[in-house]
Amino acid sequence: MNDSSRGVPQAAGHWGAPEMRAAPVGPAYDVRVPDVPGAGRDADDRDDRDRGAGRLSGGPLFRDEIPQEPMSTAPPSPQKKRAGRDLRAAIGVGVGLGAVIVASLFIVKAVFVAVIVLAVVVGLWELTSRLQERKGIRAPLIPLAVGGAAMVVAGYVKGAEGAWVAMALTALAVLVWRMAQPPEDYLRDVTAGVFAAFYVPFLATFVAMLLTADDGPQRVLTFLLLTVVSDTGAYAVGWRFGKNKLAPRISPGKTREGLFGAVAFAMVAGALCMQFLIDGGSWWQGLLLGLAVAASATLGDLGESMIKRDLGIKDMGTLLPGHGGIMDRLDSLLPTAPVVWLLLVLFVGSA
């Protein structure tokens, strides 16, 4: 307490002292002390207590202070793990999409091809939009969308040869289309366009090629089931037991335990699918297929995460509640499609 604060008049009986006569506010030596035996000693004692209180509280000495509750030293209760997305919405959207895909897959093959084309066009729109918004990259959407649709149809009708020809023509169309704009950043834009053409429609073409076999619907269903089961196993095991990060700089949520869960779930599902869904398939082939799917799906998810981190975004879009955009669901499917197509051709043939 500084010396000038002694001149503040106190309420009668504040410390049990007799009522003081009014005194003008001024330096400490102007304060009038009541003529009571022992008052000087009591005042000095009070001054000592006030100084100690001031040092402890750090505030005005004559302010009524409310005692503070002592801080608890007990360790904080562990926080319950929560999913990063709206799990209820994600499940609802996933079930709805699955119903549409399965219905189109087993009723008319051409309808399922149209579903692939629609997913490709929307995915290209999301990717090119984010590239332009975040990086200023102008990958031309129109030639990509037309060429991507042609790629999927050519792969379904003519196989791998048709898909490669459509891919080459799409890349050429991107180069020519971009010439209508100023030459600045031409190389950057066409490189991004060719990348988008390969990443989305060309890889999706292998799904259409899976469909061309006699048991095509079963092959596509196996591809979808293994990818979904791999993602589910990674999520469930990683959420419950995950402690060791798999790739913290790319995707902090992924753990090594989650990867083991993806491998285990996918291998079991692969053995069942090859044994009961694929003509001429065997359970041991399914184990290898499940292992390959878990690896490719994880790499695809990490690759998409790498792109989103470079762009500084969480999701590619908002079309699917609880999931993000179409590209956020195609991330593990796209690189897995050629892996499943190739292994099934090696195991049971292409017919």
Side-chain angles (χ1 to χ4, degrees):
M1 182 178 79
N2 55 35
D3 292 338
S4 62
S5 62
R6 297 187 182 180
V8 180
Q10 303 301 319
H14 186 64
W15 282 304
E19 182 177 358
M20 297 174 57
R21 294 185 296 273
V25 177
Y29 51 75
D30 289 335
V31 178
R32 302 184 62 181
V33 180
D35 189 15
V36 178
R41 184 178 63 254
D42 291 341
D44 292 337
D45 292 342
R46 288 197 298 272
D47 285 345
D48 293 337
R49 289 196 300 270
D50 290 343
R51 290 190 186 99
R55 285 192 297 268
L56 290 176
S57 65
L61 299 181
F62 299 108
R63 183 182 62 196
D64 292 334
E65 297 287 343
I66 300 177
Q68 299 294 325
E69 293 292 334
M71 295 181 62
S72 174
T73 58
S77 58
Q79 295 294 326
K80 189 176 181 179
K81 291 186 177 181
R82 295 175 60 89
R85 298 183 183 274
D86 187 343
L87 194 57
R88 186 174 301 177
I91 293 175
V93 171
V95 171
L97 289 176
V100 171
I101 291 172
V102 171
S104 62
L105 184 61
F106 286 95
I107 295 176
V108 180
K109 289 184 177 181
V111 175
F112 183 72
V113 174
V115 171
I116 300 175
V117 170
L118 178 61
V120 162
V121 172
V122 175
L124 285 169
W125 169 70
E126 290 181 346
L127 179 58
T128 56
S129 297
R130 301 296 87 76
L131 288 174
Q132 185 166 0
E133 289 173 2
R134 308 298 297 186
K135 296 289 187 178
I137 299 175
R138 296 171 292 177
L141 177 60
I142 293 178
L144 284 173
V146 174
M151 242 182 278
V152 174
V153 174
Y156 178 70
V157 175
K158 294 294 184 179
E161 296 84 358
W164 277 114
V165 170
M167 173 65 197
L169 293 175
T170 301
L172 180 60
V174 168
L175 269 66
V176 173
W177 191 279
R178 179 59 179 80
M179 289 180 182
Q181 298 176 3
E184 289 78 17
D185 299 322
Y186 174 81
L187 184 59
R188 181 196 66 177
D189 294 345
V190 297
T191 302
V194 174
F195 164 75
F198 174 82
Y199 182 46
V200 184
F202 182 76
L203 294 181
T205 298
F206 286 91
V207 183
M209 291 166 57
L210 283 169
L211 194 59
T212 59
D214 294 337
D215 59 345
Q218 287 79 9
R219 296 192 183 200
V220 173
L221 183 60
T222 297
F223 153 70
L224 294 174
L225 284 176
L226 292 188
T227 308
V228 171
V229 167
S230 173
D231 288 347
T232 303
Y235 174 82
V237 176
W239 178 80
R240 181 63 180 86
F241 302 104
K243 295 181 180 178
N244 302 295
K245 301 298 183 182
L246 178 63
R249 296 183 61 182
I250 302 175
S251 183
K254 289 181 174 51
T255 62
R256 298 175 187 176
E257 293 81 3
L259 176 59
F260 293 147
V263 171
F265 277 54
M267 290 181 72
V268 172
L272 294 174
C273 289
M274 287 297 293
Q275 187 70 35
F276 298 107
L277 288 180
I278 305 301
D279 295 338
S282 178
W283 65 269
W284 66 267
Q285 296 171 337
L287 294 178
L288 297 178
L289 181 63
L291 177 61
V293 167
S296 62
T298 302
L299 290 175
D301 202 348
L302 289 175
E304 177 88 357
S305 297
M306 197 78 167
I307 295 173
K308 290 189 288 189
R309 280 195 170 274
D310 186 25
L311 296 177
I313 57 177
K314 183 178 184 295
D315 294 320
M316 282 289 187
T318 58
L319 290 177
L320 305 177
H323 292 269
I326 291 292
M327 285 301 299
D328 297 298
R329 292 301 87 203
L330 296 180
D331 53 1
S332 55
L333 290 169
L334 289 173
T336 302
V339 173
V340 173
W341 175 82
L342 178 60
L343 288 178
L344 288 180
V345 168
L346 293 176
F347 290 154
V348 296
S350 59

